[in-house]
Every structure is written in C-alpha cells, then in structure tokens.
Amino acid sequence: MHLSKLPVIAGGIALATSMSFGWSISGQVTTKAGEPLSGVKINTMNMGGFETTSNETGAFALSSDGSTEAISGISVSTLSVHFAKNVLGLENVNAHNLKISVVDALGKVTFQKEVREAFGSMSFDLGKTAFGAKFARVNADGKSQTYSLTDGKALLKEGDILPFIQFAKEGFANTTYQMQQEVEENVKITLEAASATPATPASSASVVPATPASSETAVVPASSEAKAEVVVDCSGKEYKAGDHNMSVNVDGKNRTFIMHVPSAYKGDKPVPLVVDYHPIGGSGQGQLQGTQYKSQTDPEGVISLYPDGTGKPGGMGNGWNVGPCCSNDDDVKFSREMIKAVEEKVCIDTKRVYATGFSMGGGMSNHVACNMADIYAAVAPAGMDLNTTNSASCNPPRPISIIMFRGTGDFVCRYQGGDSGFNDGLNFLGAEGNFKFWAEKNGCTGSPSKNANGCQEYSTCKDGVKVVLCTDKSTNNHNGSGHDQGDGTVGWPFLKSFTLP
C-alpha cells in the first residue's frame, strides 16, 4: 500500500486520525459461493476510529465525517491561497463555480462556502472555526486542490491518505482492501472459509518469567524528578522548526524518516526524543498526522521522529520486522542508527528517549522494549502486542516501563490475542497476556490496581519501573474500544516521568 506524503502542519492539536478530506465506501460482503455474509467486522487499519458491521444482506457502508465530494485531482494551477489569523485568502480566482471547504483536526467540515462567478481576489473569515482549522479544499469548476493550513501559510498538499480496510469474521480468513478513490460504491468483498487447522492459542505462548525482585534489591526510582538534568553540550545544535526528511544508511539500504522540530525547541538545552512508529501499510508522514502525542510534546520543545518501515513482496505494505512478519530489514539497527544521527544534529537528552506507535507500530514499540532498553527509557504501544516469536526471545538488559493502550472491540489485533488471521505467522499474546508478560519481565510483585487514569497498573516492580494497561481509553470522539491510536494525554505524562538509570 502506498500512502502519499503530506506537508507539515505546525503546532495545534495532533490529528486524531490520518487525515482524509471526506471519503466513503459501500458495498457487500459475500462468501466465495456468493452468499451474503452478515456480522462481518470492518475496521480501518491505518487510521483509528472507523468501524462498522455488515448487515443481514452483507451490505456495509463506512465513511469519514467530512464531505464525500469526489474530485478530479487536477491542480488549480493559477490559484494562490493564503491563511493568516482567521482569514482564508484567494487570489487569481477564475471559476464559474467555486466551493471552499475547511476541516479540523478530527476530519470534520467546520466551514463551507459556495460562490458563483468567482473572479479575481476574495477572502473568507473563518471566525471561531479558524482555531483548529487544518486543511482547506478549493474546488473550481470541478478541479480541486487541497492545502494544509498554518498561520500565514496555505501549503499545497499532494493528496489524501485513504483507508486500508480489514474485513473479519469468525470462521473466515481476514481480507483487506485498499481504497483508491475518495468515493467507492458497490465494492464486492469475498471472504473465504478459514483453514480447518486451528490456530495456536495465545495462551500457549512461551512466557519466561523474569526473576522477581528480591527483598535485598535496591529499588532506584526511574522518575525524572529524582534525577539531575543531564549535562549536554548544545553548541551548534539550533535547528529550524518544521518537518525535515532525513535518512541513514543501514546495511547498504537508505532508510528514511521525518524529524519533527517544534517551534518551542531552541537548541539551548537538551530535550527528550520520541520515536513514533506507524501501522502496517503506513508511513512516517501518516503517523505524524495521526499520532496523539505530538500535540502534547510540541509545547515542551520535544523532538519527535517518524520512521518509514519497509515491506516484503506480496505483503500488506510497509511494516516492521517484529517476528515472522512483515519486513526482512533490521529495524532495531535502523532505529539505533536513526537516533544516533539525530543526536548529532539536535540537542537530545539521551536519558529521555521514548518509543510509541500504533497498530504494527505498537508491535514495534513492544519489540524495541525487548531489544533497545539501553536506549529507550520507556515505551507506549497502542493497538498491538508482542507475538509468540519475539516474546520468546525478549531479553531486555534492564527493567523498562511500559504503558499499553488496547481496545476490547479491536478486530485488527484482537484483545484476547491468538492468530492474526492473515497467514503471516503472527500469533499474539493478547492484551492481558502482554500485560502479564511485561509484569513478569520487570519483576513486578503483587496484583495490579487501578490508577488515577482508570488504567490497570503494576507499581511495585524492579528499579521503580511501572507496567500499565489502559483498556478502551481514548481522547478520540469515540469510546476507544476499537483499533485506536494511543491516548497522548495519558501516555506522554507517563513516558516523561522515566529516565534511563
């Protein structure tokens, strides 16, 4: 799957979903014999928060909340668009029919205006809707262009990210579908009966308990409040705010990532670093738009990285090498080289480097907790767990704090765990299994209790680390019980409270 690269959006609220300017899909799900299938769970895999179920005739419909106007994609070459304060300005307009649409960070249309016989220059006062305005679409006589909005700028955008959809039903093999247009109707989806060979249950995972902390073990809190600030020479490490496309060479291959520098970064003191991994079929750019962490870290001057995964021939697009799936590249080595390269350019507090990610990116942030605990102070995966392969070899060099975000109604990575359904060899521990696995690895004692955020927490673990599971919790405009990005308002305060020992 290919995701178009989008320009940077500076500041403001992080997008709750991968941004698309209104999309809709409808059709029918049937068996191979053509019989309608009801009760099929339908989720978007590359953007959280969109899900539905096929009805008794197999019919389904899924859409964003924005306009579903189909567009030609032809650029409006003579048009000049500006955005400053509350005003959206247009110059060199030449259209018999002009339509302006503006959406906010949640993909909802907040302003819409149609003008007949529009020529020359004009402006539109967005009023209160200007706060949070993220994208504007200008349709002139059927030719459209989309712009990302920042204060004083309206940057032309190459295209919208479209949904990558999963269809899942018990007794049938999962099927995926990549939308190619913003409006698709009468789409025919066929599900084949699952193999009669039962999948290995998640409970059969080989979970090797860590040696519990003895009463003689000295518990050293990992809280940043208990540590002195790291002395780092920041000379020459000022950096222009914005999104910077970067790359490192790993095993002869050029690996790419985005380094996001917020306007609050001044280069005069070391700041934390957050690495945010994208879902299967995604990209660093897509995760930059979809994450809930950037809006929390930007005001604090935190640098964030959005790496691009790679794929396998015949696979589901770019992902991460987290076991039997979905890349042949060494993504742990890539992560190490990427972080090293960034530390040479900007002033990073190397004791406060963190990992997060969504869907397979959540699987990757679990994976690096096993393999990069010497680099990452804490991790915050969402929408995916360890699997039976990488958990069996998981041997972090130290206890590491982890906060997990999972939905009980997640049909992409099922809460109860088990086979992925994609014949890719992935068999997950499940949310509860993953929670217990990390509690054992970190030498936690006692039973978990509910913390102030309503999440289950092991707080008596070796070296002062914590293991937390947040279930059905999200700041999106839904209950967070499905396949969702991690809650940055909870995840970031947790992450930044830990430093490397």
Side-chain angles (χ1 to χ4, degrees), residues 362-377:
M364 183 60 182
S365 46
N366 267 288
H367 188 66
V368 296
C370 292
N371 298 281
M372 296 181 64
D374 59 318
I375 299 294
Y376 289 120

Side-chain angles (χ1 to χ4, degrees), residues 8-11 239-244 259-267 271-272 294 297-304 346:
V8 180
I9 300 176
Y239 220 87
K240 183 180 179 181
D243 288 340
H244 305 273
M259 180 176 74
H260 173 74
V261 180
S263 58
Y265 172 78
K266 304 303 180 185
V271 298
K294 188 161 65 71
T297 58
D298 272 6
E300 300 178 23
V302 175
I303 304 293
S304 52
V346 289

Side-chain angles (χ1 to χ4, degrees), residues 5-38:
K5 288 187 178 290
L6 309 179
V8 180
I9 300 176
I13 303 171
L15 300 183
T17 66
S18 297
M19 178 56 61
S20 181
F21 236 100
W23 53 265
S24 67
I25 181 172
S26 61
Q28 185 186 35
V29 189
T30 65
T31 65
K32 197 171 182 180
E35 299 173 349
L37 271 178
S38 63

Side-chain angles (χ1 to χ4, degrees), residues 71-93:
I71 64 167
S72 62
I74 303 172
S75 62
V76 187
S77 58
T78 62
L79 192 65
S80 175
V81 179
H82 305 279
F83 180 60
K85 299 190 183 300
N86 297 340
V87 178
L88 185 69
L90 280 67
E91 297 179 4
N92 301 321
V93 183

